[in-house]
Amino acid sequence: MGNIYFERVQAIRRMMADNGWDAVVIGASDPHSSEYPAPRWQAVQWVSGFTGEAGDIVITADHAGLWTDSRYFIQALEQLQGTGIELHKTRQPDSVTIPEWLAGRAGIVAVDGTCMSVSYVREIEKAVASAQDDRICKVVDVPDMLDSLWTDRPRIPVSPIVTIGEDDAGESRQDKIRWLRDFLKDNGCTSILLSSLDEVAWLLNVRGSDIEYNPFVISYLYVSADDIIWFVQKDNARIPDQDTVDSFEELRSDGVEICSYDETGVRLAAMDQEAGRMFIDPSAMNDHMYRYVTGIFGLDGIMTGKSPVALRKAVKNATEIASMEEVYLQDGVAMECFLHWLDTRVKAGDRVTEWDAAVKLGEFRSRIEGYRGDSFATISAYGPNAALPHYSTPVHGSSVLENHGLYLVDSGGQYCFGTTDITRTVPLGECTSLEMEDYTLVLKGMIQLSMAVFPACTAGCQLDVLARNALWKARRNFGHGTGHGVGFYLGVHEGPQSIRQDFNSQPLLPGMVTSDEPGIYRQGQHGVRHENILLCEDAGTNSFGEWRRFKTLTVCHIDTSPIVKSMITQEEAEWLNSYNASVYERLSPLLPAEVSAWLKDRISPFNIQGH
């Protein structure tokens, strides 16, 4: 067929035949369950050409399929053409998961256990073992199984490491280690092995750039009552420059032993197996490492559960909150300068492509002191392209922005004092009645969630309906979650909290920072998404209990011109007017005069009287 990805699937089938495997499952993550794996672990993209952030592949002798969710349906259909790989839609009413699909179809299933979580592999094992026949049914772990085919596979990345002081982080690494040791003691454990990169970065107050858009360092961290061992690639490239303090030496002075990433297994094997119990989070630990550790310590020597670091990290301290308030103010300056530039250029009839706009936004952000890069690839999408929730803006051949319809930009920045994420859908001129309806319905949902007041112990899944209610009443919906946690100069997506329909019992706690981003997507027509970032706060206590509310951190105006006035309530209009007025009041002293004047015109009070 002449398709490189078709040929790669065929090569994998030949490898399967040589090894007696009935199926191969290729995951989209890395050894640390990262959302955005480094190029070395982008196996799904290498096999299929699919560039979405979520998707796993199954290959058998007569079928090849990609499983992904609604964010990527349109993208997957386009990118899989000619590969022989079929799209399997997930998170749909009639969806069949990979373990369910494999049941009865495959006896011996090969996986790269270094890139799959313990819980995922156990699901596959359980499904395969349920086959009602005489075949040998098992899952075999084949680390780096594609190496013989993927001859130009990238190496493990190595980037400079920087440390964050207590004044910036709000807490020293020594204090965090003491807290973690207290957790271990209280739970009858003597050690813990952390594999999630954001947890390691947070605990040690270190940052790097081993993964694009994420200030992480590829590593494991072992903590016991007596030892702290950081397993990380050691290289001269880890030191930023000759005039910078060696981060490794700073860590060593705090009692952190530095060992090579490749020595993780060897050092663990040399530890005293009678020393006690090790705590492991199987949802984050890769299956290969888990099998290795349990082989050393025995099942009785392991305690499994949710890592305590995730929740502690999600509840921002006072220093982090103050910094994130400042970073969203500064990010708002960049956004308003960009939106002014965009409006001016399009109205002037200048040629601006989606890619041009994305680059220009990055330029405005780069002028902010402390900027460390984007927090994810900017989604710059015009018209029908915005119907792809995670549209990948092409460098060449991206659409030209015209003076009509809707333009969607979802973007964010990494700064040494915080991480930002914001989406704005803006009119470039006259909009259709359907575009205006969708714009208004999505905005109503975002506002309703922003205004929420709720009892303590309320989980995000219990609030999700607030962002969807207006859409549901109009028989419309969106397939992705409404809100995700946002890190402090860490991942733009973090847990354990979320706001989505999927059940998640984690309550929203004061100090948690979460997105509010409902949307609607019409294939071939347009997409709308509005996103602000919310800080959960204490809202007081009365005879009915404790209460919570949200404070909006995002500082960027919301365009009112596409709103259908008859669809907005007085309460929603008052919230919108108050929000836009606050944006102008806070940003106008920081903006160039021409941008400030433009913004003042854009935020004139929105009146629904007399509609």
Side-chain angles (χ1 to χ4, degrees), residues 14 55 58 63 65 85 154 194 249 416 549 567:
R14 290 191 290 271
V58 175
H63 183 81
I85 301 173
L194 296 177
E249 287 305 314
C416 62
R549 66 187 174 196
M567 298 170 63

Side-chain angles (χ1 to χ4, degrees), residues 563-580:
I563 293 175
V564 180
K565 293 184 177 182
S566 62
M567 298 170 63
I568 292 288
T569 67
Q570 184 66 39
E571 184 183 35
E572 291 164 349
E574 290 173 357
W575 183 94
L576 187 54
N577 285 334
S578 175
Y579 175 76
N580 277 344

Side-chain angles (χ1 to χ4, degrees), residues 70-89:
S70 62
R71 295 173 296 170
Y72 306 104
F73 290 166
I74 301 172
Q75 175 182 343
L77 287 171
E78 294 175 354
Q79 294 182 326
L80 295 180
Q81 290 184 20
T83 65
I85 301 173
E86 297 181 17
L87 171 63
H88 290 251
K89 298 180 178 181

Side-chain angles (χ1 to χ4, degrees), residues 324-325 328-329 421-422 424 446-447 449-452 513-514 516 531-537 549-556 558 575 579-580 582-583 586:
M324 293 192 79
E325 289 179 326
Y328 276 93
L329 183 70
D421 185 5
I422 178 176
R424 286 294 181 264
M446 193 201 79
I447 293 173
L449 182 56
S450 300
M451 295 191 300
V513 175
T514 310
D516 172 7
E531 178 187 18
N532 277 352
I533 303 302
L534 308 177
L535 169 68
C536 183
E537 291 187 319
R549 66 187 174 196
F550 291 124
K551 176 181 180 180
T552 300
L553 296 181
T554 307
V555 188
C556 179
I558 297 170
W575 183 94
Y579 175 76
N580 277 344
S582 173
V583 168
R586 298 175 66 189

